[in-house]
Amino acid sequence: MRDDAQDVAPDTPPTVRPRRRALRTVGLIAVAAVLGLVGGTATGYGIQAEREPTPLPALNQPGLAYPKPLPKGEEPEPLSAAEDRQVKANGDLRKLLLPRPKGARANGEDGWESLDAYMSRYTRPSNALRRQLELGIRRVATRSWMSGERRSVTIDLIQYRSGAQAGAAEHVASQQRIAGFDDQANYEGETVKGSGNGRSYLYPVERKPGYLDFYEARAFVQYGDIAIAIHMSDTEKIAEKDIRSLAERQLERL
């Protein structure tokens, strides 16, 4: 057999050498491109560094200025005490309570009521006090009277901290939930005219051997940071309009 090496001339270059030259050429071009980019970037930074800095716009914006005050004598008149709700609410809260009807007799508290006395009405006074403090209770004004033979009425104005309208709203909503889900009432109540969330409730008569019949009605209304709570009881039937109109008249005074 002939050796295959004899068919190839000794000075013939390997066939792979041209590829190496091609790769080497591509590499040189890539390096040149990189150097060109670096050089261009450096030149750009150099030019920018030699330029004068561009001044920033002024911080003041004349176009955003507030309107000029009105000339003296053209200012709007301040709200009267009757129009400014805060003036009335932050004044003597007792003066906003409905007066006793003609012929009615004072019965119980009349004026400011301490938190201890107010909380003593609840089944769990300590829990009620804790909750009311969380809601931001501020003060309580109350008025109670007796009319007819045995009709008892109590009106409470419970005021919460200024701006804490959520306290009054939550208290009213809580009392309405209790009244609505009570086994005796078991309904959503009647709307108090002029209020956004006021409700009045009538309870069925309660009868026990040896006792007079017992009728009860309640109303809960929120007005700003004040919660209105009205309780009415009698041994005679209470008309729905009696409790509702009482709540509406009290609301009108706020």
PDB file of all heavy atoms in Angstrom, residues 76-95:
ATOM      1  N   PRO A  76     -65.663  88.859  52.281  1.00  0.00           N
ATOM      2  CA  PRO A  76     -66.984  88.314  52.615  1.00  0.00           C
ATOM      3  C   PRO A  76     -67.261  88.416  54.106  1.00  0.00           C
ATOM      4  O   PRO A  76     -66.348  88.362  54.929  1.00  0.00           O
ATOM      5  CB  PRO A  76     -66.883  86.843  52.166  1.00  0.00           C
ATOM      6  CG  PRO A  76     -65.422  86.539  52.199  1.00  0.00           C
ATOM      7  CD  PRO A  76     -64.730  87.817  51.813  1.00  0.00           C
ATOM      8  N   GLU A  77     -68.506  88.552  54.434  1.00  0.00           N
ATOM      9  CA  GLU A  77     -68.899  88.652  55.836  1.00  0.00           C
ATOM     10  C   GLU A  77     -68.674  87.305  56.529  1.00  0.00           C
ATOM     11  O   GLU A  77     -68.917  86.245  55.951  1.00  0.00           O
ATOM     12  CB  GLU A  77     -70.383  89.031  55.942  1.00  0.00           C
ATOM     13  CG  GLU A  77     -70.689  90.444  55.475  1.00  0.00           C
ATOM     14  CD  GLU A  77     -70.086  91.487  56.395  1.00  0.00           C
ATOM     15  OE1 GLU A  77     -69.931  91.186  57.594  1.00  0.00           O
ATOM     16  OE2 GLU A  77     -69.776  92.584  55.914  1.00  0.00           O
ATOM     17  N   PRO A  78     -68.172  87.300  57.767  1.00  0.00           N
ATOM     18  CA  PRO A  78     -68.002  86.035  58.491  1.00  0.00           C
ATOM     19  C   PRO A  78     -69.347  85.379  58.768  1.00  0.00           C
ATOM     20  O   PRO A  78     -70.386  86.061  58.839  1.00  0.00           O
ATOM     21  CB  PRO A  78     -67.302  86.461  59.787  1.00  0.00           C
ATOM     22  CG  PRO A  78     -67.666  87.899  59.957  1.00  0.00           C
ATOM     23  CD  PRO A  78     -67.776  88.466  58.573  1.00  0.00           C
ATOM     24  N   LEU A  79     -69.318  84.059  58.923  1.00  0.00           N
ATOM     25  CA  LEU A  79     -70.549  83.343  59.217  1.00  0.00           C
ATOM     26  C   LEU A  79     -71.092  83.756  60.576  1.00  0.00           C
ATOM     27  O   LEU A  79     -70.334  83.988  61.526  1.00  0.00           O
ATOM     28  CB  LEU A  79     -70.294  81.826  59.208  1.00  0.00           C
ATOM     29  CG  LEU A  79     -69.913  81.202  57.867  1.00  0.00           C
ATOM     30  CD1 LEU A  79     -69.587  79.726  58.053  1.00  0.00           C
ATOM     31  CD2 LEU A  79     -71.030  81.365  56.854  1.00  0.00           C
ATOM     32  N   SER A  80     -72.386  83.832  60.652  1.00  0.00           N
ATOM     33  CA  SER A  80     -73.011  84.133  61.938  1.00  0.00           C
ATOM     34  C   SER A  80     -72.976  82.890  62.816  1.00  0.00           C
ATOM     35  O   SER A  80     -72.713  81.782  62.354  1.00  0.00           O
ATOM     36  CB  SER A  80     -74.454  84.579  61.721  1.00  0.00           C
ATOM     37  OG  SER A  80     -75.216  83.513  61.177  1.00  0.00           O
ATOM     38  N   ALA A  81     -73.266  83.070  64.087  1.00  0.00           N
ATOM     39  CA  ALA A  81     -73.279  81.927  65.003  1.00  0.00           C
ATOM     40  C   ALA A  81     -74.325  80.902  64.586  1.00  0.00           C
ATOM     41  O   ALA A  81     -74.147  79.700  64.770  1.00  0.00           O
ATOM     42  CB  ALA A  81     -73.552  82.414  66.428  1.00  0.00           C
ATOM     43  N   ALA A  82     -75.411  81.379  63.991  1.00  0.00           N
ATOM     44  CA  ALA A  82     -76.464  80.461  63.563  1.00  0.00           C
ATOM     45  C   ALA A  82     -76.017  79.638  62.360  1.00  0.00           C
ATOM     46  O   ALA A  82     -76.477  78.512  62.160  1.00  0.00           O
ATOM     47  CB  ALA A  82     -77.737  81.223  63.230  1.00  0.00           C
ATOM     48  N   GLU A  83     -75.109  80.198  61.529  1.00  0.00           N
ATOM     49  CA  GLU A  83     -74.658  79.503  60.319  1.00  0.00           C
ATOM     50  C   GLU A  83     -73.429  78.648  60.561  1.00  0.00           C
ATOM     51  O   GLU A  83     -73.206  77.668  59.850  1.00  0.00           O
ATOM     52  CB  GLU A  83     -74.354  80.527  59.222  1.00  0.00           C
ATOM     53  CG  GLU A  83     -75.567  81.323  58.761  1.00  0.00           C
ATOM     54  CD  GLU A  83     -75.172  82.463  57.841  1.00  0.00           C
ATOM     55  OE1 GLU A  83     -74.095  83.064  58.039  1.00  0.00           O
ATOM     56  OE2 GLU A  83     -75.946  82.745  56.910  1.00  0.00           O
ATOM     57  N   ASP A  84     -72.610  79.030  61.535  1.00  0.00           N
ATOM     58  CA  ASP A  84     -71.377  78.299  61.812  1.00  0.00           C
ATOM     59  C   ASP A  84     -71.677  77.160  62.785  1.00  0.00           C
ATOM     60  O   ASP A  84     -71.918  77.377  63.978  1.00  0.00           O
ATOM     61  CB  ASP A  84     -70.328  79.243  62.407  1.00  0.00           C
ATOM     62  CG  ASP A  84     -68.947  78.624  62.430  1.00  0.00           C
ATOM     63  OD1 ASP A  84     -68.854  77.374  62.366  1.00  0.00           O
ATOM     64  OD2 ASP A  84     -67.963  79.375  62.508  1.00  0.00           O
ATOM     65  N   ARG A  85     -71.648  75.934  62.272  1.00  0.00           N
ATOM     66  CA  ARG A  85     -71.989  74.791  63.106  1.00  0.00           C
ATOM     67  C   ARG A  85     -71.025  74.618  64.275  1.00  0.00           C
ATOM     68  O   ARG A  85     -71.422  74.240  65.378  1.00  0.00           O
ATOM     69  CB  ARG A  85     -71.987  73.515  62.256  1.00  0.00           C
ATOM     70  CG  ARG A  85     -73.040  73.511  61.157  1.00  0.00           C
ATOM     71  CD  ARG A  85     -72.946  72.239  60.342  1.00  0.00           C
ATOM     72  NE  ARG A  85     -73.940  72.191  59.287  1.00  0.00           N
ATOM     73  CZ  ARG A  85     -74.051  71.190  58.419  1.00  0.00           C
ATOM     74  NH1 ARG A  85     -73.216  70.171  58.489  1.00  0.00           N
ATOM     75  NH2 ARG A  85     -74.982  71.222  57.488  1.00  0.00           N
ATOM     76  N   GLN A  86     -69.733  74.890  64.040  1.00  0.00           N
ATOM     77  CA  GLN A  86     -68.759  74.678  65.091  1.00  0.00           C
ATOM     78  C   GLN A  86     -68.961  75.635  66.258  1.00  0.00           C
ATOM     79  O   GLN A  86     -68.688  75.293  67.402  1.00  0.00           O
ATOM     80  CB  GLN A  86     -67.339  74.815  64.519  1.00  0.00           C
ATOM     81  CG  GLN A  86     -66.932  73.669  63.626  1.00  0.00           C
ATOM     82  CD  GLN A  86     -67.002  72.337  64.354  1.00  0.00           C
ATOM     83  OE1 GLN A  86     -66.593  72.224  65.507  1.00  0.00           O
ATOM     84  NE2 GLN A  86     -67.526  71.328  63.690  1.00  0.00           N
ATOM     85  N   VAL A  87     -69.415  76.868  65.959  1.00  0.00           N
ATOM     86  CA  VAL A  87     -69.660  77.815  67.041  1.00  0.00           C
ATOM     87  C   VAL A  87     -70.726  77.273  67.980  1.00  0.00           C
ATOM     88  O   VAL A  87     -70.618  77.342  69.209  1.00  0.00           O
ATOM     89  CB  VAL A  87     -70.083  79.189  66.470  1.00  0.00           C
ATOM     90  CG1 VAL A  87     -70.572  80.107  67.579  1.00  0.00           C
ATOM     91  CG2 VAL A  87     -68.910  79.827  65.747  1.00  0.00           C
ATOM     92  N   LYS A  88     -71.794  76.720  67.397  1.00  0.00           N
ATOM     93  CA  LYS A  88     -72.870  76.172  68.222  1.00  0.00           C
ATOM     94  C   LYS A  88     -72.424  74.930  68.964  1.00  0.00           C
ATOM     95  O   LYS A  88     -72.658  74.785  70.165  1.00  0.00           O
ATOM     96  CB  LYS A  88     -74.080  75.853  67.342  1.00  0.00           C
ATOM     97  CG  LYS A  88     -74.699  77.058  66.674  1.00  0.00           C
ATOM     98  CD  LYS A  88     -75.814  76.642  65.726  1.00  0.00           C
ATOM     99  CE  LYS A  88     -76.979  76.033  66.456  1.00  0.00           C
ATOM    100  NZ  LYS A  88     -78.094  75.697  65.533  1.00  0.00           N
ATOM    101  N   ALA A  89     -71.746  74.015  68.261  1.00  0.00           N
ATOM    102  CA  ALA A  89     -71.374  72.736  68.855  1.00  0.00           C
ATOM    103  C   ALA A  89     -70.307  72.890  69.931  1.00  0.00           C
ATOM    104  O   ALA A  89     -70.283  72.133  70.900  1.00  0.00           O
ATOM    105  CB  ALA A  89     -70.885  71.772  67.777  1.00  0.00           C
ATOM    106  N   ASN A  90     -69.405  73.873  69.770  1.00  0.00           N
ATOM    107  CA  ASN A  90     -68.331  74.057  70.737  1.00  0.00           C
ATOM    108  C   ASN A  90     -68.722  74.971  71.884  1.00  0.00           C
ATOM    109  O   ASN A  90     -67.926  75.210  72.785  1.00  0.00           O
ATOM    110  CB  ASN A  90     -67.079  74.606  70.039  1.00  0.00           C
ATOM    111  CG  ASN A  90     -66.441  73.563  69.140  1.00  0.00           C
ATOM    112  OD1 ASN A  90     -66.509  72.371  69.417  1.00  0.00           O
ATOM    113  ND2 ASN A  90     -65.839  74.012  68.049  1.00  0.00           N
ATOM    114  N   GLY A  91     -69.931  75.498  71.830  1.00  0.00           N
ATOM    115  CA  GLY A  91     -70.410  76.339  72.922  1.00  0.00           C
ATOM    116  C   GLY A  91     -71.004  75.487  74.026  1.00  0.00           C
ATOM    117  O   GLY A  91     -70.582  74.351  74.282  1.00  0.00           O
ATOM    118  N   ASP A  92     -72.000  76.039  74.701  1.00  0.00           N
ATOM    119  CA  ASP A  92     -72.663  75.333  75.793  1.00  0.00           C
ATOM    120  C   ASP A  92     -73.628  74.306  75.200  1.00  0.00           C
ATOM    121  O   ASP A  92     -74.705  74.649  74.708  1.00  0.00           O
ATOM    122  CB  ASP A  92     -73.408  76.335  76.680  1.00  0.00           C
ATOM    123  CG  ASP A  92     -73.868  75.705  77.989  1.00  0.00           C
ATOM    124  OD1 ASP A  92     -73.948  74.464  78.056  1.00  0.00           O
ATOM    125  OD2 ASP A  92     -74.156  76.461  78.931  1.00  0.00           O
ATOM    126  N   LEU A  93     -73.231  73.053  75.239  1.00  0.00           N
ATOM    127  CA  LEU A  93     -74.023  71.979  74.629  1.00  0.00           C
ATOM    128  C   LEU A  93     -75.391  71.862  75.289  1.00  0.00           C
ATOM    129  O   LEU A  93     -76.359  71.423  74.652  1.00  0.00           O
ATOM    130  CB  LEU A  93     -73.253  70.659  74.732  1.00  0.00           C
ATOM    131  CG  LEU A  93     -73.584  69.557  73.728  1.00  0.00           C
ATOM    132  CD1 LEU A  93     -73.330  70.027  72.304  1.00  0.00           C
ATOM    133  CD2 LEU A  93     -72.774  68.300  74.036  1.00  0.00           C
ATOM    134  N   ARG A  94     -75.499  72.252  76.537  1.00  0.00           N
ATOM    135  CA  ARG A  94     -76.778  72.140  77.245  1.00  0.00           C
ATOM    136  C   ARG A  94     -77.855  73.012  76.606  1.00  0.00           C
ATOM    137  O   ARG A  94     -79.047  72.684  76.652  1.00  0.00           O
ATOM    138  CB  ARG A  94     -76.591  72.536  78.718  1.00  0.00           C
ATOM    139  CG  ARG A  94     -75.642  71.620  79.481  1.00  0.00           C
ATOM    140  CD  ARG A  94     -75.339  72.178  80.854  1.00  0.00           C
ATOM    141  NE  ARG A  94     -74.643  73.461  80.760  1.00  0.00           N
ATOM    142  CZ  ARG A  94     -74.268  74.176  81.825  1.00  0.00           C
ATOM    143  NH1 ARG A  94     -74.545  73.738  83.044  1.00  0.00           N
ATOM    144  NH2 ARG A  94     -73.637  75.328  81.660  1.00  0.00           N
ATOM    145  N   LYS A  95     -77.426  74.136  75.998  1.00  0.00           N
ATOM    146  CA  LYS A  95     -78.383  75.038  75.382  1.00  0.00           C
ATOM    147  C   LYS A  95     -78.975  74.464  74.094  1.00  0.00           C
ATOM    148  O   LYS A  95     -79.961  74.992  73.586  1.00  0.00           O
ATOM    149  CB  LYS A  95     -77.719  76.383  75.096  1.00  0.00           C
ATOM    150  CG  LYS A  95     -77.315  77.133  76.349  1.00  0.00           C
ATOM    151  CD  LYS A  95     -76.683  78.468  76.006  1.00  0.00           C
ATOM    152  CE  LYS A  95     -76.294  79.233  77.264  1.00  0.00           C
ATOM    153  NZ  LYS A  95     -75.674  80.545  76.945  1.00  0.00           N
TER     154      LYS A  95
END
